[in-house]
Amino acid sequence: NAGVMQNPRHLVRRRGQEARLRCSPMKGHSHVYWYRQLPEEGLKFMVYLQKENIIDESGMPKERFSAEFPKEGPSILRIQQVVRGDSAAYFCASSTRAGGFETQYFGPGTRLLVL
Amino acid sequence: AQSVTQLGSHVSVSEGALVLLRCNYSSSVPPYLFWYVQYPNQGLQLLLKYTSAATLVKGINGFEAEFKKSETSFHLTKPSAHMSDAAEYFCAVMNDYKLSFGAGTTVTVRA
């Protein structure tokens, strides 16, 4: 059973460009989460999605960031007009159910560098 | 919201020595606690989790953690460190469906 897949693994963008990060959950998992690991700030929750629904985006910056998990295809985290402060590692996780002691399985991450 | 605090951002141990990583939680209800490991430039891998079934939890790679309600702690231990244990370790607590992570502890292993 393949794990959570993320691509690209590394992404370099210039200020003002768009970044698209993709995440394919583990087979059978319908719950997807995005976390961001900023230098000196640690890992923080961004958004929780189920198929075609955003359940909780309380950790997402209000502007420039959006996420989706369509009926078909991977989940996408989109960052418009990137700034240097967006440079971070972005991790996707998935699970079969949400909450409690349900394990979230993490992908290898996408490391975004904004020049 | 529940939170965890990891004491010590860096731990250095000799190969074969005990590894002890500290994690304290703040919660008024039984928490769901996790330990994850992150190797350089990789994602997070689950080491173990507390589900209230037992206070001593055994995980992968020889790690275990003990839940102590009286001390609000969930410290991670391994009796004998191996070079391959060099990594960053995160304690986390589940808030609804969101994991809240500690700041992490980087472990280095000396030959």
Side-chain angles (χ1 to χ4, degrees), chain A residues 9 33 35 37 43 45 48 56 58 91 99-104 106-108 111, chain B residues 32 34 36 38 41-44 46 49-51 88 90 94 96-99 101:
Chain A
R9 293 289 303 274
Y33 317 83
Y35 292 84
Q37 188 174 35
L43 277 154
F45 168 83
Y48 161 41
D56 182 345
S58 60
F91 292 97
F101 52 78
E102 192 67 26
T103 298
Q104 293 184 12
F106 283 77
R111 282 150 181 86
Chain B
Y32 299 109
F34 302 77
Y36 282 87
Q38 183 181 26
N41 294 313
Q42 294 188 30
L44 283 78
L46 180 71
K49 61 183 178 182
Y50 173 66
T51 64
E88 190 164 17
F90 293 93
M94 187 73 80
D96 296 325
Y97 39 74
K98 309 175 206 180
L99 284 170
F101 290 89

Side-chain angles (χ1 to χ4, degrees), chain B residues 73-87:
Chain B
S73 69
F74 190 55
H75 301 333
L76 182 71
T77 60
K78 181 173 180 177
S80 177
H82 191 271
M83 298 299 288
S84 60
D85 295 325

